[in-house]
């Protein structure tokens, strides 16, 4: 499990079970992503059931590489770059999480990047 917490002006990334986390200063205007390409640069592909929800699919070609992205309510659920899956959610829940799920354990060392 990877946890992201950005409620303090920093984005802290922690992999459950490790003893370190990293943080970077939150940037309000991130670099363009697969989802910000103009509509003319992306094509609609098949809908996919990922993590128990129906996700709309897009393919974006950049630098001669096709990247397929499936999203649910704007959230990336699966990303394939070329023939490689680089992200795939396994479970998607829409209920509000408990606040403790985003708490980094006290014995974890947080390093600034």
């Amino acid at each position: 499990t990877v946890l992201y917490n950005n409620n303090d002006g920093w984005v802290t990334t922690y992999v459950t079970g490790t003893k370190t986390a990293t943080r970077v200063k939150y940037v309000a205007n991130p670099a363009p992503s697969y989802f910000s390409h103009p509509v003319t640069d992306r094509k609609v592909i098949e809908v996919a059931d990922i993590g128990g929800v129906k996700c709309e699919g897009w393919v974006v070609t950049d630098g001669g590489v096709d990247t397929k992205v499936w999203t649910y309510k704007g959230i990336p659920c699966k990303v394939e770059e070329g023939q490689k899956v680089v992200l795939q959610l396994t479970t998607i829940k829409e209920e509000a999480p408990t606040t403790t799920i985003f708490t980094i354990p006290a014995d974890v060392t947080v390093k600034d990047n």
Side-chain angles (χ1 to χ4, degrees):
T1 302
V2 178
L3 305 178
Y4 298 96
N5 177 335
N6 69 345
N7 63 359
D8 60 357
W10 293 82
V11 176
T12 303
T13 305
Y14 166 65
V15 178
T16 305
T18 64
K19 293 297 180 184
T20 61
T22 57
R23 72 181 196 152
V24 294
K25 192 70 178 160
Y26 176 73
V27 178
N29 294 315
S33 70
Y34 305 120
F35 319 106
S36 63
H37 281 263
V39 173
T40 55
D41 291 339
R42 53 186 190 163
K43 299 174 194 154
V44 176
I45 57 175
E46 73 278 358
V47 170
D49 186 310
I50 300 167
V53 298
K54 299 288 183 207
C55 299
E56 57 183 20
W58 302 89
V59 65
V60 177
T61 303
D62 189 19
V65 176
D66 285 346
T67 300
K68 294 180 180 178
V69 181
W70 288 268
T71 63
Y72 177 71
K73 296 185 177 181
I75 299 168
C77 298
K78 183 175 181 181
V79 178
E80 293 179 359
E81 289 180 348
Q83 299 297 316
K84 182 178 176 184
V85 175
V86 294
L87 168 85
Q88 180 157 352
L89 302 182
T90 56
T91 306
I92 299 169
K93 296 181 182 179
E94 292 195 65
E95 71 251 12
T98 63
T99 56
T100 58
I101 195 170
F102 296 105
T103 302
I104 307 299
D107 63 341
V108 170
T109 303
V110 178
K111 299 176 182 179
D112 290 349
N113 272 351

